[in-house]
Amino acid sequence: MITPITTRISALAFYRNYLIRVTTLMGYRSVCSSNTKYPDVSGFMALIHSIVDWMYTGSNRAIRYTRSNARKVALIRGNMEEAKSAVDVSSIRQAQERISGFALPTPLISSRYLGHLLGSPVYLKVEALQRTGSFKVRGAANKLTLLSEEERRRGVIAASAGNHGQGVAVVADRMGVSCTVVMPKGASVAKVQATRGYHAQVILHEEPLSYARSLAKERGLSFIHPFDDPAVVAGQGTIGLELVEKLPYVEQVIVPVGGGGLAAGIAVVVKSLRPRTRIVGVQAAAAPAIAKSFKDGRPQVIPPRPTIADGVAVAAPGEVTFPLLCRYLDDIVVVGEDVIAQA
């Protein structure tokens, strides 16, 4: 019998890029996030078993960071109120109205098999049903709809390993806005082709973020940040609204963390509407910048190592997302490549 130690089992949230999984684990209804178009249930189960094994054997494959540690340091408190005012439930509700023509409200699907295994209901929130196969279209739609007519006329540019770029490209295409996406050399061929399929100009570069910023300045384009923008965070937060509407008594939310846009948006709305709900972030050990920053209470730059979870390989927390994560997250779990691969 598995005991209530299981807040650690939050590590099962992780990947195959992001599906929003709402799970009830040992009495905790939980939400996790992933973008895969083809979730592998057997792989997900392997990850559950690996985390349960870690709980009992003391394996160091997952490392835990708590919000209490982050709060010991007051360095970021000044930024917290600023971030809070930039993204709140009101701005997320407004985002929900703006993106209705671009992003689908995705369903919660009950998993009988996982529920039987864990002894309580398990729900999956399938963001994979979005047109691009990712939640990223939500933030992109909210940001682009807020641009002025002049900004839309000049065009937009984004830096992305794939999912954010596709989200920006599909929304820009619908709005008749010129779009450029800078992707890393060695990016997935499928993602490059998909982005071009939405009529975006794709540029491959070794430093996508810095190069996209320089092009934006040079050409007068609007830069659409993948996560560190209040409008993008609010767009991703619409997932949280759907969660509390469909599962009002959710007890634990588990969400993967890259730059923190998804986690911050969901955390703001869920914690504001359901203060007792626990929110746990999960990050790849090869890209632990937010987890370590969260632990120390101050932003740190940690270049990511190669990781299967390439879409969340971010070197530093954002100025917008980090204060929100410190304010609203209860815990962060870091998992290794072996656990991600099993998932």
Side-chain angles (χ1 to χ4, degrees):
M1 180 175 179
I2 301 176
T3 65
I5 247 178
T6 55
T7 52
R8 286 184 174 183
I9 204 169
S10 57
L12 72 84
F14 227 50
Y15 301 131
R16 278 202 109 238
N17 285 348
Y18 303 131
L19 172 79
I20 293 288
R21 295 190 178 107
V22 184
T23 56
T24 304
L25 303 177
M26 323 314 177
Y28 292 112
R29 286 186 185 144
S30 312
V31 184
C32 326
S33 188
S34 157
N35 302 333
T36 179
K37 293 184 179 180
Y38 308 106
D40 182 346
V41 174
S42 63
F44 183 44
M45 296 315 307
L47 179 54
I48 291 177
H49 287 299
S50 69
I51 299 305
V52 172
D53 175 67
W54 164 74
M55 288 165 46
Y56 287 110
T57 63
S59 166
N60 61 1
R61 289 190 295 172
I63 305 170
R64 191 176 176 193
Y65 298 94
T66 62
R67 181 166 57 166
S68 60
N69 289 333
R71 284 187 164 177
K72 290 178 183 177
V73 181
L75 184 62
I76 58 174
R77 285 180 179 171
N79 291 335
M80 281 187 177
E81 291 305 317
E82 182 180 347
K84 181 183 177 184
S85 63
V87 184
D88 55 19
V89 174
S90 177
S91 65
I92 294 172
R93 289 194 188 280
Q94 292 170 21
Q96 190 176 46
E97 295 180 5
R98 290 190 201 99
I99 71 173
S100 59
F102 301 95
L104 299 171
T106 53
L108 283 175
I109 299 175
S110 176
S111 173
R112 183 176 179 181
Y113 175 68
L114 295 180
H116 176 74
L117 179 74
L118 298 173
S120 56
V122 174
Y123 300 87
L124 312 179
K125 192 171 194 322
V126 194
E127 279 297 289
L129 295 180
Q130 299 293 351
R131 181 177 176 187
T132 61
S134 164
F135 68 88
K136 290 285 191 176
V137 68
R138 294 175 182 261
N142 193 43
K143 178 64 177 179
L144 266 70
T145 55
L146 288 170
L147 296 179
S148 68
E149 287 297 327
E150 176 59 22
E151 289 171 325
R152 295 180 193 180
R153 185 190 64 79
R154 290 198 301 264
V156 299
I157 188 168
S160 171
N163 291 326
H164 173 64
Q166 290 179 65
V168 172
V170 73
V171 174
D173 190 41
R174 287 274 305 277
M175 296 176 68
V177 174
S178 173
C179 177
T180 301
V181 178
V182 184
M183 303 178 72
K185 288 185 176 179
S188 162
V189 174
K191 290 182 178 181
V192 171
Q193 291 177 340
T195 306
R196 286 177 173 152
Y198 299 126
H199 305 111
Q201 178 190 7
V202 175
I203 299 173
L204 301 180
H205 197 275
E206 291 181 357
E207 298 291 339
L209 190 61
S210 59
Y211 188 62
R213 286 184 184 278
S214 67
L215 282 182
K217 185 175 181 179
E218 176 186 323
R219 301 179 182 179
L221 306 174
S222 293
F223 177 67
I224 313 299
H225 200 285
F227 57 86
D228 204 34
D229 184 304
V232 172
V233 174
Q236 321 303 27
T238 58
I239 294 170
L241 285 177
E242 293 174 18
L243 291 175
V244 296
E245 288 168 2
K246 296 178 180 179
L247 196 65
Y249 301 106
V250 59
E251 295 176 9
Q252 180 159 285
V253 177
I254 305 174
V255 55
V257 180
L262 176 66
I266 291 176
V268 167
V269 68
V270 174
K271 273 290 188 183
S272 297
L273 299 178
R274 299 290 183 269
R276 294 186 179 182
T277 300
R278 282 180 50 81
I279 303 179
V280 179
V282 186
Q283 189 164 49
I290 285 186
K292 291 190 176 181
S293 299
F294 184 82
K295 176 184 178 183
D296 294 344
R298 58 186 178 84
Q300 294 190 40
V301 178
I302 303 174
R305 303 187 306 275
T307 173
I308 299 170
D310 59 335
V312 295
V314 176
E319 293 180 4
V320 173
T321 58
F322 184 55
L324 293 171
L325 295 174
C326 288
R327 182 183 183 90
Y328 293 106
L329 281 189
D330 293 289
D331 207 349
I332 291 185
V333 172
V334 175
V335 294
E337 294 297 294
D338 55 342
V339 175
I340 299 173
Q342 284 181 318

